[in-house]
Amino acid sequence: MGLLYPRLLTGQAKPLHEEYRNMQITDLMGCAATAHDSAVYVATGGDRVSETRLRELRDLVVDLAEEAGFPNESNRELRAAFDLRLAAALHSEMRLVPAEAASGDVWAFFALVLLPDVAYWRYPGPPGDRVLGTDLTRHVFGRMWWRAQLVHSPGDSDPYAALKILGEAAFDQIYARRKALGNSPHLVKAILRVWDELDLRGIDERDALRDLLKRLLRLSPFVLFEALSDQSLDNELRMAARETVSALLSTAPLTDAERQDRTDAVFGGSAAEVADIGSAGTTPIPENEVISVPPPSAQVDRISSNGPAPEPTSGETEGIDQPAVSPMAYDAYGGQGFGDPFELGLRERAEAVATVVAAEGPVKALRVYRIISRLAGMPLDDAVTGVLMSATKYAVRIGLIEAENEVGQVAHPETTLWLPGRPVCVLRARGPREPDEIPGRELATAARSVQQAEGPIQDHDVLAERVSLLFGDERPVERFKGILTEALQKHGLQRADLI
């Protein structure tokens, strides 16, 4: 559990700032304290930090400042080095949780009560946002804690090594966009990893970073960066960075070949790797992760689009052809409900999603959401979908389930979910599923198996009829034909494959 720190509210902080901003550093050293009569704490959330620990923190920060010249004048290089050491020290020693660190009043106490001498030495005669906590992207101490929070990698030998990748001005470009980008340690660390790979000699780094962030902002409504694995996210960022570099070099007096060579040089030969990802940003699924469709029975004749259908066997509806292959039976979820999704915690919702996936996976997220909402006795509206999408995203992150990447939208209702280590595609009878609940890869696999077993089928309506029959339906509805077309386009069985 984190520690609770004293908070200096605005009404007390502003007068202190006006008093301190014109004082000498040596005088401010005498103003430092570990308590203030007007300081307050939040009521719950942890233990209050002791004054002993506050004194230790002050001593630690003062020692770091002295290495940079405190209390005398310093230079830009020494101040930059101080900031990096300060970030790591504050983050590692304060035992501060993000909710507490998001309070500007906490940082106002640090700057105006505990460390006023260091604060006004680092920024002489500062504007209010440097010490009052009104803007944490600019606060002398708060901004450095958050930089460390966003790059902290506890499993690395140097958990704060990424602090050195970008300078303060460059990092501020990311954090200034915190609502869309800069509030995600997962994304920030990925940006820094990819940025560190680039050889940007001859290219304005500030312009390049600004352009890259603009591209990521345009992607953010469509891509759930948080739900991507490190590798997938790095690949998405490399593609965006390649677009940035190409755009910046497009104005240079270079031939197309020279521009391509220069772009490749920036990425250190990673062009092939980026190209392999695919323009949609999806990672191809290995063939061995798809359950092969069983070969047609020896008793079933091959059917061409022009040839006759086999005679119906006993017990079948007269005039309806037999399916070319026999899909597996569909095991539907038959357990209890999970309750109102809005009353469940995030972990409970994630476990509910995983429970349905365990029974029916690979399964479309849309069907999972419908099952959970139906069992709770409520319609699947946008609000319910939203909380279940967040639960799916969390379930993927903690390894309860896996999801097929729909251009980064792993919680989207159209994505397919399965348990880790299980196949990503199994051809089964339709069972209780609606046509829009059948995973696209399963539909494409069914169409491919029909083609392999029965010969080329050029007419899409005929193919839809044969695939519908394979799933156990006598005749396809028009909606099924559209869903099948979309699945074939998305999963690699194009019109050319049908001829």
Side-chain angles (χ1 to χ4, degrees):
M1 183 177 291
L3 294 174
L4 301 179
Y5 280 79
R7 302 181 178 208
L8 189 66
L9 302 182
T10 304
Q12 288 74 42
K14 284 185 175 179
L16 280 180
H17 170 53
E18 293 302 322
E19 178 184 350
Y20 289 171
R21 67 188 306 174
N22 297 316
M23 290 177 62
Q24 298 296 316
I25 300 301
T26 52
D27 295 330
L28 287 171
M29 293 171 71
C31 297
T34 57
H36 191 278
D37 292 341
S38 300
V40 297
Y41 291 83
V42 293
T44 60
D47 297 327
R48 293 186 178 185
V49 64
S50 66
E51 290 195 32
T52 299
R53 189 168 185 85
L54 286 172
R55 280 193 293 271
E56 292 172 350
L57 285 170
R58 171 173 168 77
D59 292 342
L60 174 61
V61 174
V62 169
D63 287 345
L64 294 177
E66 287 177 346
E67 294 177 10
F70 174 84
N72 302 313
E73 291 187 8
S74 184
N75 58 49
R76 184 171 183 173
E77 290 74 17
L78 289 175
R79 288 194 299 270
F82 164 72
D83 284 346
L84 296 182
R85 291 193 291 268
L86 174 69
L90 291 177
H91 190 266
S92 62
E93 298 297 331
M94 286 183 68
R95 287 179 52 195
L96 195 61
V97 297
E100 185 81 349
S103 169
D105 296 334
V106 167
W107 298 112
F109 179 89
F110 256 71
L112 293 166
V113 178
L114 186 65
L115 292 157
D117 45 353
V118 176
Y120 288 83
W121 163 80
R122 177 61 182 85
Y123 289 103
D129 54 9
R130 289 294 189 187
V131 293
L132 295 177
T134 52
D135 181 357
L136 293 185
T137 66
R138 290 176 53 79
H139 192 275
V140 59
F141 300 122
R143 82 191 201 288
M144 300 313 303
W145 188 95
W146 278 104
R147 278 184 68 176
Q149 168 70 7
L150 291 170
V151 307
H152 183 230
S153 299
D156 294 352
S157 57
D158 183 357
Y160 302 102
L163 284 169
K164 304 171 185 176
I165 294 175
L166 289 178
E168 179 175 357
F171 194 91
D172 283 349
Q173 287 195 54
I174 299 175
Y175 192 45
R177 297 164 172 85
R178 57 193 178 279
K179 289 185 178 180
L181 306 176
N183 63 350
S184 166
H186 183 55
L187 176 58
V188 171
K189 284 187 278 191
I191 292 173
L192 295 177
R193 280 196 305 270
V194 171
W195 195 259
D196 200 36
E197 297 173 357
L198 307 183
D199 180 0
L200 292 170
R201 286 175 293 184
I203 297 176
D204 189 305
E205 290 194 33
R206 185 171 183 175
D207 288 346
L209 182 60
R210 185 184 295 114
D211 185 270
L212 173 62
L213 296 178
K214 288 179 180 178
R215 294 178 189 275
L216 296 183
L217 285 171
R218 289 195 291 268
L219 277 175
S220 60
F222 310 102
V223 180
L224 295 176
F225 296 117
E226 276 290 305
L228 295 179
S229 66
D230 287 351
Q231 180 180 359
S232 297
L233 181 54
D234 287 358
N235 287 338
E236 289 281 358
L237 297 183
R238 289 188 188 104
M239 286 189 292
R242 180 169 286 272
E243 293 171 358
T244 284
V245 172
S246 297
L248 294 177
L249 291 177
S250 65
T251 60
L254 301 171
T255 65
D256 290 343
E258 290 172 337
R259 189 174 296 111
Q260 184 61 53
D261 289 344
R262 182 68 187 90
T263 301
D264 291 344
V266 170
F267 291 86
S270 63
E273 179 183 354
V274 174
D276 286 342
I277 301 167
S279 59
T282 58
T283 303
I285 297 176
E287 290 296 328
N288 60 5
E289 293 188 14
V290 180
I291 283 188
S292 299
V293 180
S297 169
Q299 287 76 29
V300 180
D301 295 332
R302 291 176 59 84
I303 305 171
S304 71
S305 59
N306 301 319
E311 293 296 325
T313 59
S314 60
E316 292 185 323
T317 303
E318 184 175 356
I320 301 300
D321 297 336
Q322 291 190 62
V325 295
S326 299
M328 298 172 60
Y330 191 85
D331 293 326
Y333 175 73
Q336 297 180 343
F338 307 96
D340 187 335
F342 295 102
E343 296 180 358
L344 300 175
L346 180 59
R347 176 80 190 201
E348 292 174 308
R349 293 198 303 271
E351 290 175 347
V353 170
T355 299
V356 178
V357 173
E360 298 198 9
V363 57
K364 227 179 190 181
L366 174 63
R367 176 166 173 79
V368 176
Y369 301 164
R370 284 174 175 169
I371 289 173
I372 293 174
S373 63
R374 183 174 66 249
L375 291 175
M378 58 178 57
L380 183 64
D381 56 19
D382 290 343
V384 177
T385 299
V387 298
L388 293 178
M389 285 176 64
S390 67
T392 303
K393 171 181 170 182
Y394 179 72
V396 172
R397 285 293 305 278
I398 65 177
L400 291 180
I401 60 175
E402 294 186 9
E404 186 168 7
N405 184 0
E406 295 284 344
V407 197
Q409 302 181 73
V410 300
H412 192 277
E414 292 301 310
T415 199
T416 301
L417 311 174
W418 67 92
L419 292 184
R422 300 285 183 87
V424 301
C425 179
V426 180
L427 181 57
R428 298 159 292 180
R430 183 165 76 87
R433 296 179 291 181
E434 295 296 325
D436 63 347
E437 294 176 346
I438 304 174
R441 192 175 293 278
E442 187 176 347
L443 286 168
T445 299
R448 188 176 291 108
S449 71
V450 167
Q451 293 287 328
Q452 292 171 349
E454 303 182 5
I457 299 177
Q458 300 180 21
D459 190 301
H460 182 72
D461 287 344
V462 173
L463 179 63
E465 290 180 2
R466 301 304 296 161
V467 172
S468 180
L469 180 61
L470 182 62
F471 280 108
D473 293 331
E474 295 181 3
R475 290 289 183 264
V477 296
E478 287 301 317
R479 184 171 58 136
F480 178 82
K481 295 178 183 179
I483 293 170
L484 177 62
T485 298
E486 183 178 347
L488 298 181
Q489 293 172 345
K490 182 178 293 185
H491 296 286
L493 191 61
Q494 306 294 337
R495 176 70 61 181
D497 297 314
L498 308 180
I499 299 175

